[in-house]
Amino acid sequence: MPTTVKKRSVVVGGHRTSISLEQAFWGALQTLAAQQDKTINQMVSDIDAARTGNLSSAIRVWVLEQARQGRLQPEETASRAANSAGKQEE
């Protein structure tokens, strides 16, 4: 599983910010957003509204909780992460 940290820009509350997450978490976030018919920006904004600490940490904890609740299948996440990595290199 990819462990490389990727920094990406997202829009949260109308403001652009950068978030650093491991590629596996970006893939999981993309999978979960697609399942809920949301964009990454919408998903991160939802997580941001409910967080109490660091945004990157809040995203990781949220993704972990979704996985624990059975909303994230490991093969889906690995596939999304691999596809995202390939798209970033193009």
Side-chain angles (χ1 to χ4, degrees):
M1 181 170 298
T3 58
T4 304
V5 174
K6 297 286 184 179
K7 183 180 259 188
R8 296 189 184 172
S9 294
V10 295
V11 177
V12 178
H15 300 283
R16 184 172 290 286
T17 189
S18 294
I19 301 173
S20 296
L21 291 172
E22 292 78 8
Q23 187 62 40
F25 282 101
W26 284 117
L29 190 61
Q30 184 179 22
T31 297
L32 291 162
Q35 287 175 357
Q36 296 184 28
D37 199 29
K38 293 184 177 183
T39 66
I40 295 287
N41 289 340
Q42 291 169 325
M43 188 65 62
V44 171
S45 292
D46 291 348
I47 295 167
D48 180 60
R51 75 181 167 110
T52 56
N54 175 284
L55 182 55
S56 293
S57 295
I59 292 168
R60 288 183 188 96
V61 170
W62 184 83
V63 167
L64 176 61
E65 185 59 30
Q66 298 303 301
R68 285 181 172 166
Q69 293 177 13
R71 295 186 182 116
L72 184 64
Q73 300 303 315
E75 60 277 359
E76 289 178 353
T77 303
S79 175
R80 292 267 186 188
N83 288 337
S84 292
K87 290 178 184 176
Q88 293 294 320
E89 294 173 4
E90 291 177 356

